[in-house]
Amino acid sequence: MASAPPPLSSISSTRSSNLFSHYNSISRLVDFNYSATNLKLHLIRTVDSRRSRCRSLSVRSIFSDQKLKETVSTEGVSHSLDSFKPDSASIASRIKYHAEFTPSFSHEHFELPKAYFATAESVLDSLIINWNATYDYYEKINVKQAYYLSMEFLQGRALLNAIGNLELTGAYADALIKLGHTLENVARQEPDAALGNGGLGRLASCFLDSLATLNYPAWGYGLRYKYGLFRQTITKDGQEEIPESWLEMGNPWEIVRNDVAYPVKFYGKVVTGSDGKKHWIGGENIKAVAYDVPIPGYKTKTTINLRLWSTKAPAQDFDLQAFNDGDHAKGYKPQTTAEKICYVLYPGDESMEGKTLRLKQQYTLCSASLQDIIARFERRSGKSINWEDFPSKVAVQMNDTHPTLCIPELMRILIDVKGLSWKEAWSITQRTVAYTNHTVLPEALEKWSFELMQKLLPRHVEIIEMIDEELIHNIISEYGTEDLKMLVEKLKELRILENFELPASVIQLLVKPKETSLTDMDELIEPEEKVVEPKVEELKPKAKEAESKEVESGEEDVQPEEEDVEPEEEELDDEVILLSVLDPQLPKGVRMANLSVVGGHTVNGVAEIHSDIVKEEVFNSFYQLWPEKFQNKTNGVTPRRWIRFCNPDLSKIITKWVGTEDWVLDAEKLAELRKFADNEELQTEWKASKKSNKMKVVSLIKEKTGYTVSPDAMFDVQVKRIHEYKRQLLNILGIVYRYKKMKEMTAKERKTKFAPRVCLFGGKAFATYVQAKRIVKFITDIGATINRDPDIGDLLKVVFVPDYNVSVAEQLIPASELSQHISTAGMEASGTSNMKFAMNGCVLIGTLDGANVEIREEVGEENFFLFGARAHEIAGLRKERAEGKFVPDPRFEEVKKFVRSGAFGSSNYDELMGSLEGNEGYGRADYFLVGKDFPSYIECQEKVDEAYHDQKRWTRMSILNTAGSYKFSSDRTIHEYAKDIWDIKPALLP
């Protein structure tokens, strides 16, 4: 145990003369050999946003308020970094400096929280030099830059990652020991940044790491959520949610840019000015303020930026009169309305208020980011701005559909603010924006209420209507008007606006009165409504009349005269077909995925099987229209965070056997491990590393849950967002089956048949996702029963690790031996945790879904436990179920009966079990095919037990998983994005 931290006063007050010596170009400004009682100076960082190679640093005396200024060449600073790497003594001095002069805590003591903040500030000093140099270099060479817009960035802790990328881990560890702490304990003080939830945000963060490491000019844009998604606690009632508190003590890694703020408007109305231009006026106005977070690359000076937007209202909007009159809520309402936009990630959207807030979040991200991007483009262009150059300087990547409003927002700015024509703006937009699809689930392909969007963003709706109309004409041009029924089906599928009447220009094109029917048309249309272009509203009465005539003419002997009726029937049939685009039972909507496909130059999936589904099913008609738009970019994860830093023992083993540490930057070198997979020495080291990591998780489990587990058991892990398609329910039902069989055996039989297991679950169920929360409760109830059963002992444990996040993952993944990726085939876009597990020598059990397909190909079929139905079979299996032809396996029925027997307590699991029964109905009929795949799953688990009993074979499988994971480095993925989508090149700082 570390000794109690010393009071700050006991740390030598004499600062080393080399304090801040890495700032050799500014060291003459101030003598840092100071005493705590001497003149106290504040080093003030000022970031000059202008295009300049010089930086202005200010030192202010808190007594005299005198300012000293001196310009500093960034080239000199850059050169000093090449030649200087601080030692532990200088780092300790920097930490002590910040403990006293960047205070967030009281002066007297140097406790762990204070040590963390001071340490982080000292790291930030080094990052800022590289950060500014990177920014200045991009400005100087006016390079094309990629901008990655995402609602989530699941960063994890920054301290260990930053000092690891700076290659200062050892020096910081030694420095903190000198100051009475360990690096490990200090790092634990950092809360995970609550900026994401699942794979979407973790992928975005891996991409930023790779972009910086590979020296690509790029930035990330997101929102600065005050309370995150939620912090999960597990009680006897299951999951409970409380707000995240990650910002309560401040965030030492961010710098607020008070000079970088943009107006964002909601509501109001659109008017046409005397100049003929559209003007969006009135409404609600807020301000988006930039908070910047540095993203350092590994073994490079390149440090890129993650810019997060926080929202507030201008001070003048505060109603002082109302507040002083006692109506406090009215007084601060504008501030609350603005600030709550960035309170919570994915606020509940069951209410209209929740839907409105989510749409506000998405627009704030898009509007503030695009205003910032455009301002940068204009600044770099100087006096000669050529908007045609915009796509050659800017690449905007939309991470899923959340940032889709980038498309109409960029159009609005270019047309309404910059004065471009529609044609010019549309061409620029389509060449600038690209879209990554992350889901095949219909409910995740966002649709917004047209009524809500029209009210909140009236100008954008006008632009979307025009894009939609242009799309309709493109579709008609492609498919012609010969087969009107087929055309209408295509329009229904492809249009951005759902359940909308066709525009007048399209009606005119498709319904052309013939000479023989002019008299009839005159009779059907009132005189005052006679127009050349019939409107949909005018056709509705005729459609009803046509339906009535069909009923009246049901008998064969009632036939109108052929010459009078035939032209009318043909015309009315066409009109009725056109009216079939409307369904009065459905609301009008805006399909964001369709808008993303239409407005972007590229659409990519994130795994080979997912990209095939996108082309063949989700967007098949779009693929037929524009096959050149569609690509695959299989996801990846950064090997820095996910092997090098989170699993240092394994990293040393890899480096030893591969013969170089270059694998951290060139993951293909991991494949070299294949030739040593049977080496006994490597296997011994490999198993020892895994055992060491498991011991750490034993402590973690005890700390977080109170359960004691054996490190000698197999660690069987499923950690991911709780969702029915990810099938945590299949996993836990398999455990119930295993438990039941164990109870039916003697102790000797159990030990022979089953490998001992610790079954670990982790992940958050969305607060309003009732079925997912039932699954969490079910898992914890099962664990509570099994873990107390003396007959079973260490042969089986079930643990739900609460509040799963990046920091927990960094401990669990290196210790895992079996990882479950068991989603219904065809429903997981890719997955990224499967890649992290494979990198860390964990064997996977899974379906042929997402990136599992490619992982299995790379690690070898014999090193992956495969089960379950294939993606192309799913539709047929659901149809079979609906027709009542599915016959469940007796073992599945046995498990459900056991659950209902009360073996796991008095809770009622009827809703959960009922979802697996019946042939139709909402929440029933086993839509995710748990019952269908159950027999295959438990049989596959028997093979897992058999393999684990042979530890030599298992260790070989583990090694080959790490060796085969090289393809799944995010470095490879980013190279592909840069080359095939963004057209950007590395910009290596001189």
Side-chain angles (χ1 to χ4, degrees):
M1 177 180 288
S3 59
L8 189 62
S9 58
S10 71
I11 300 173
S12 173
S13 61
T14 303
R15 272 39 177 189
S16 170
S17 62
N18 65 1
L19 180 62
F20 277 84
S21 61
H22 66 294
Y23 295 109
N24 56 6
S25 59
I26 65 169
S27 60
R28 60 187 178 277
L29 278 174
V30 181
D31 177 11
F32 283 107
N33 291 309
Y34 53 85
S35 166
T37 58
N38 288 344
L39 181 66
K40 295 179 180 172
L41 302 172
H42 286 179
L43 181 66
I44 300 173
R45 307 182 192 97
T46 62
V47 180
D48 186 355
S49 61
R50 296 166 298 172
R51 295 179 62 195
S52 171
R53 287 165 43 196
C54 294
R55 200 62 68 208
S56 176
L57 297 179
S58 302
V59 179
R60 185 191 303 273
S61 163
I62 63 173
F63 297 121
S64 65
D65 202 36
Q66 179 182 358
K67 271 192 175 181
L68 305 173
K69 292 188 178 180
E70 183 166 328
T71 58
V72 181
S73 167
T74 57
E75 291 182 351
V77 172
S78 177
H79 176 73
S80 72
L81 283 174
D82 288 336
S83 59
F84 176 80
K85 186 170 289 188
D87 59 17
S88 60
S90 65
I91 288 173
S93 295
R94 287 160 54 182
I95 293 171
K96 288 187 290 184
Y97 169 82
H98 282 291
E100 186 160 357
F101 292 106
T102 317
S104 299
F105 300 86
S106 60
H107 173 76
E108 292 81 11
H109 296 285
F110 193 60
E111 303 285 355
L112 277 170
K114 184 173 184 176
Y116 160 65
F117 270 80
T119 302
E121 290 284 355
S122 74
V123 177
L124 193 61
D125 289 334
S126 298
L127 294 182
I128 283 178
I129 297 173
N130 288 346
W131 202 9
N132 290 341
T134 303
Y135 181 83
D136 288 348
Y137 185 60
Y138 293 168
E139 290 277 304
K140 177 181 177 181
I141 64 176
N142 192 13
V143 67
K144 182 175 184 180
Q145 193 164 327
Y147 299 97
Y148 199 81
L149 272 66
S150 178
M151 289 296 286
E152 295 186 42
F153 286 94
L154 199 57
Q155 291 289 96
R157 291 170 175 163
L159 177 58
L160 293 180
N161 192 73
I163 62 176
N165 280 353
L166 291 169
E167 299 180 273
L168 294 175
T169 302
Y172 265 90
D174 292 343
L176 285 166
I177 287 174
K178 296 178 194 296
L179 299 176
H181 294 296
T182 66
L183 176 58
E184 184 178 18
N185 286 338
V186 168
R188 282 179 182 160
Q189 303 305 304
E190 180 178 2
D192 276 38
L195 299 171
N197 177 38
L200 188 78
R202 189 52 243 165
L203 178 76
S205 295
C206 283
F207 279 4
L208 292 185
D209 178 88
S210 287
L211 284 162
T213 297
L214 301 174
N215 301 296
Y216 281 112
W219 276 22
Y221 281 105
L223 296 182
R224 182 177 177 267
Y225 304 106
K226 186 174 183 179
Y227 302 115
L229 182 72
F230 58 81
R231 186 155 62 88
Q232 180 193 56
T233 61
I234 300 297
T235 70
K236 62 181 179 61
D237 297 317
Q239 171 183 293
E240 293 186 3
E241 305 89 23
I242 58 177
E244 289 275 12
S245 57
W246 74 291
L247 288 175
E248 276 195 355
M249 291 198 296
N251 177 12
W253 301 103
E254 67 182 17
I255 294 179
V256 59
R257 308 294 193 188
N258 288 309
D259 59 330
V260 181
Y262 297 98
V264 178
K265 180 187 290 292
F266 305 107
Y267 303 109
K269 61 181 180 180
V270 180
V271 298
T272 303
S274 57
D275 54 0
K277 290 183 179 180
K278 297 279 190 175
H279 299 275
W280 183 15
I281 62 172
E284 175 186 298
N285 297 284
I286 65 163
K287 184 163 68 171
V289 180
Y291 284 73
D292 287 352
V293 179
I295 308 295
Y298 179 72
K299 290 189 176 182
T300 176
K301 290 183 291 185
T302 299
T303 302
I304 64 173
N305 195 38
L306 171 58
R307 177 156 285 178
L308 303 171
W309 301 108
S310 186
T311 47
K312 62 182 184 179
Q316 60 265 28
D317 287 358
F318 183 81
D319 192 336
L320 189 60
Q321 182 67 49
F323 193 86
N324 286 333
D325 287 343
D327 193 348
H328 297 161
K330 180 182 178 182
Y332 57 67
K333 182 179 179 181
Q335 277 66 29
T336 303
T337 300
E339 290 171 9
K340 73 179 181 182
I341 291 173
C342 292
Y343 274 174
V344 176
L345 169 65
Y346 302 140
D349 60 355
E350 305 232 332
S351 66
M352 183 53 64
E353 291 79 6
K355 289 181 174 65
T356 302
L357 187 57
R358 279 212 191 187
L359 190 55
K360 281 185 171 184
Q361 287 183 331
Q362 294 186 5
Y363 179 62
T364 297
L365 171 64
C366 295
S367 181
S369 301
L370 282 172
Q371 289 182 70
D372 195 43
I373 291 166
I374 288 170
R376 189 170 303 109
F377 168 76
E378 291 179 316
R379 184 177 64 251
R380 290 180 181 179
S381 298
K383 294 180 180 179
S384 56
I385 298 175
N386 182 355
W387 287 103
E388 272 300 305
D389 292 340
F390 191 77
S392 66
K393 295 297 181 183
V394 171
V396 174
Q397 188 70 35
M398 303 184 299
N399 192 29
D400 216 348
T401 53
H402 307 127
T404 302
L405 287 168
C406 279
I407 293 166
E409 174 67 357
L410 182 54
M411 291 290 289
R412 182 191 70 81
I413 294 172
L414 292 176
I415 295 171
D416 297 354
V417 181
K418 304 303 176 183
L420 275 65
S421 69
W422 173 273
K423 183 177 180 181
E424 291 170 329
W426 186 231
S427 172
I428 290 168
T429 299
Q430 285 192 302
R431 287 180 287 141
T432 300
V433 177
Y435 161 52
T436 298
N437 173 271
H438 282 280
T439 184
V440 299
L441 298 176
E443 65 269 23
L445 294 172
E446 287 187 304
K447 295 179 187 177
W448 283 107
S449 158
F450 177 81
E451 182 182 359
L452 169 60
M453 188 173 284
Q454 189 174 47
K455 181 179 179 182
L456 192 70
L457 303 169
R459 178 58 178 142
H460 297 77
V461 165
E462 289 185 350
I463 292 169
I464 290 170
E465 287 176 329
M466 294 177 71
I467 295 172
D468 184 65
E469 184 169 346
E470 187 165 311
L471 171 64
I472 291 171
H473 284 283
N474 286 339
I475 295 168
I476 293 172
S477 175
E478 176 70 21
Y479 292 103
T481 59
E482 293 293 320
D483 187 342
L484 209 54
K485 286 184 178 179
M486 183 273 289
L487 179 61
V488 165
E489 287 306 309
K490 289 294 181 185
L491 291 172
K492 278 185 177 181
E493 180 183 358
L494 296 175
R495 286 188 67 183
I496 298 162
L497 298 177
E498 183 178 47
N499 203 34
F500 259 75
E501 62 273 11
L502 293 169
S505 62
V506 176
I507 295 290
Q508 180 184 17
L509 182 65
L510 297 181
V511 182
K512 293 184 177 179
K514 299 179 182 179
E515 290 183 9
T516 55
S517 62
L518 284 176
T519 303
D520 300 312
M521 291 294 290
D522 286 343
E523 291 173 357
L524 288 167
I525 303 175
E526 295 295 327
E528 64 270 18
E529 294 178 339
K530 289 183 182 179
V531 289
V532 177
E533 302 174 7
K535 302 290 190 298
V536 171
E537 287 75 8
E538 297 165 356
L539 299 179
K540 289 178 182 176
K542 293 189 288 182
K544 291 181 180 178
E545 184 179 336
E547 291 174 5
S548 175
K549 286 183 179 180
E550 286 176 7
V551 173
E552 291 172 3
S553 60
E555 298 181 15
E556 291 183 7
D557 59 343
V558 181
Q559 295 288 339
E561 292 184 21
E562 184 175 331
E563 60 181 13
D564 293 330
V565 175
E566 191 172 49
E568 182 179 345
E569 277 189 351
E570 182 179 341
E571 189 172 326
L572 289 175
D573 284 347
D574 287 352
E575 293 166 0
V576 171
I577 290 170
L578 293 178
L579 281 172
S580 69
V581 300
L582 297 173
D583 185 341
Q585 303 301 316
L586 296 175
K588 294 181 177 181
V590 182
R591 297 190 280 203
M592 306 306 275
N594 288 25
L595 178 55
S596 295
V597 175
V598 174
H601 59 80
T602 304
V603 179
N604 73 277
V606 290
E608 287 177 2
I609 186 174
H610 170 240
S611 296
D612 289 342
I613 292 171
V614 164
K615 291 186 290 188
E616 295 166 9
E617 297 177 25
V618 182
F619 296 129
N620 179 252
S621 291
F622 280 121
Y623 177 64
Q624 292 175 23
L625 270 180
W626 305 305
E628 70 283 356
K629 279 193 178 191
F630 290 81
Q631 298 185 15
N632 174 59
K633 294 289 172 279
T634 298
N635 282 343
V637 299
T638 168
R640 269 77 62 187
R641 183 180 287 269
W642 292 111
I643 309 182
R644 178 67 181 82
F645 303 146
C646 79
N647 200 345
D649 291 344
L650 183 64
S651 297
K652 290 173 185 175
I653 294 169
I654 293 171
T655 298
K656 172 185 173 181
W657 288 88
V658 170
T660 176
E661 202 179 42
D662 291 351
W663 61 268
V664 182
L665 288 168
D666 181 7
E668 289 191 7
K669 293 189 181 298
L670 291 173
E672 293 291 310
L673 289 169
R674 285 174 174 156
K675 58 190 177 187
F676 305 113
D678 292 307
N679 185 285
E680 288 188 11
E681 183 183 352
L682 172 58
Q683 288 204 1
T684 299
E685 294 174 0
W686 201 270
K687 287 193 292 184
S689 168
K690 186 66 73 173
K691 182 68 172 288
S692 174
N693 288 322
K694 289 169 72 175
M695 291 299 297
K696 296 174 186 175
V697 171
V698 169
S699 299
L700 175 75
I701 291 170
K702 182 68 174 177
E703 175 192 337
K704 287 188 171 289
T705 71
Y707 288 128
T708 300
V709 301
S710 169
D712 296 320
M714 178 204 302
F715 279 21
D716 171 353
V717 180
Q718 188 180 20
V719 284
K720 51 185 76 236
R721 180 167 51 93
I722 309 298
H723 197 291
E724 288 169 278
Y725 89 83
K726 293 180 183 288
R727 298 203 296 191
Q728 286 91 352
L729 187 54
L730 174 60
N731 185 352
I732 192 63
L733 288 175
I735 292 170
V736 170
Y737 179 79
R738 184 183 197 83
Y739 175 63
K740 185 175 186 297
K741 294 297 134 183
M742 283 182 176
K743 294 290 286 182
E744 294 169 357
M745 296 178 179
T746 66
K748 185 177 180 181
E749 288 172 333
R750 287 181 205 126
K751 290 182 180 179
T752 303
K753 174 76 173 176
F754 297 104
R757 293 201 198 194
V758 176
C759 300
L760 296 166
F761 292 84
K764 296 178 180 179
F766 191 65
T768 58
Y769 190 175
V770 175
Q771 191 75 336
K773 294 178 78 170
R774 287 185 183 127
I775 292 170
V776 173
K777 174 73 164 62
F778 185 48
I779 292 169
T780 57
D781 286 352
I782 300 296
T785 298
I786 293 176
N787 297 345
R788 291 196 299 261
D789 191 328
D791 294 339
I792 303 303
D794 286 337
L795 200 56
L796 182 62
K797 298 290 185 185
V798 179
V799 179
F800 193 102
V801 181
D803 204 36
Y804 178 70
N805 57 21
V806 175
S807 296
V808 174
E810 288 172 340
Q811 296 179 72
L812 282 183
I813 291 174
S816 300
E817 294 170 285
L818 180 74
S819 181
Q820 306 217 24
H821 303 272
I822 56 178
S823 51
T824 311
M827 301 197 76
E828 184 74 84
S830 168
T832 52
S833 66
N834 44 8
M835 302 170 184
K836 298 165 197 168
F837 281 103
M839 279 185 173
N840 283 273
C842 182
V843 183
L844 273 56
I845 179 172
T847 53
L848 280 181
D849 196 24
N852 284 0
V853 178
E854 294 160 77
I855 291 173
R856 183 169 175 262
E857 289 172 356
E858 297 299 330
V859 305
E861 294 179 6
E862 69 280 8
N863 302 308
F864 184 105
F865 292 102
L866 178 67
F867 76 95
R870 307 305 191 251
H872 67 274
E873 300 172 329
I874 301 302
L877 291 170
R878 286 180 178 143
K879 183 173 183 289
E880 177 187 88
R881 181 72 181 237
E883 293 170 352
K885 297 177 182 178
F886 172 70
V887 179
D889 187 278
R891 292 167 292 185
F892 186 59
E893 295 300 292
E894 180 185 350
V895 165
K896 290 190 296 176
K897 183 178 179 181
F898 187 48
V899 169
R900 285 176 164 141
S901 71
F904 302 104
S906 58
S907 296
N908 188 327
Y909 305 115
D910 285 346
E911 290 290 341
L912 205 53
M913 296 300 103
S915 70
L916 306 174
E917 297 170 338
N919 298 322
E920 59 183 0
Y922 179 76
R924 292 182 61 79
D926 193 11
Y927 183 78
F928 301 99
L929 303 180
V930 172
K932 175 64 182 177
D933 280 350
F934 185 79
S936 174
Y937 176 68
I938 60 174
E939 288 160 12
C940 191
Q941 287 284 14
E942 291 174 2
K943 296 176 183 176
V944 172
D945 282 313
E946 179 186 344
Y948 195 76
H949 279 303
D950 183 350
Q951 278 295 294
K952 183 175 177 64
R953 175 190 170 193
W954 188 273
T955 305
R956 183 179 191 275
M957 294 171 71
S958 174
I959 294 168
L960 290 173
N961 265 267
T962 297
S965 68
Y966 66 89
K967 174 181 175 180
F968 306 101
S969 166
S970 51
D971 294 351
R972 185 264 315 153
T973 314
I974 284 300
H975 277 312
E976 292 177 3
Y977 272 95
K979 177 177 178 289
D980 302 335
I981 298 179
W982 302 332
D983 190 27
I984 61 173
K985 304 289 191 297
L988 188 63
L989 271 66

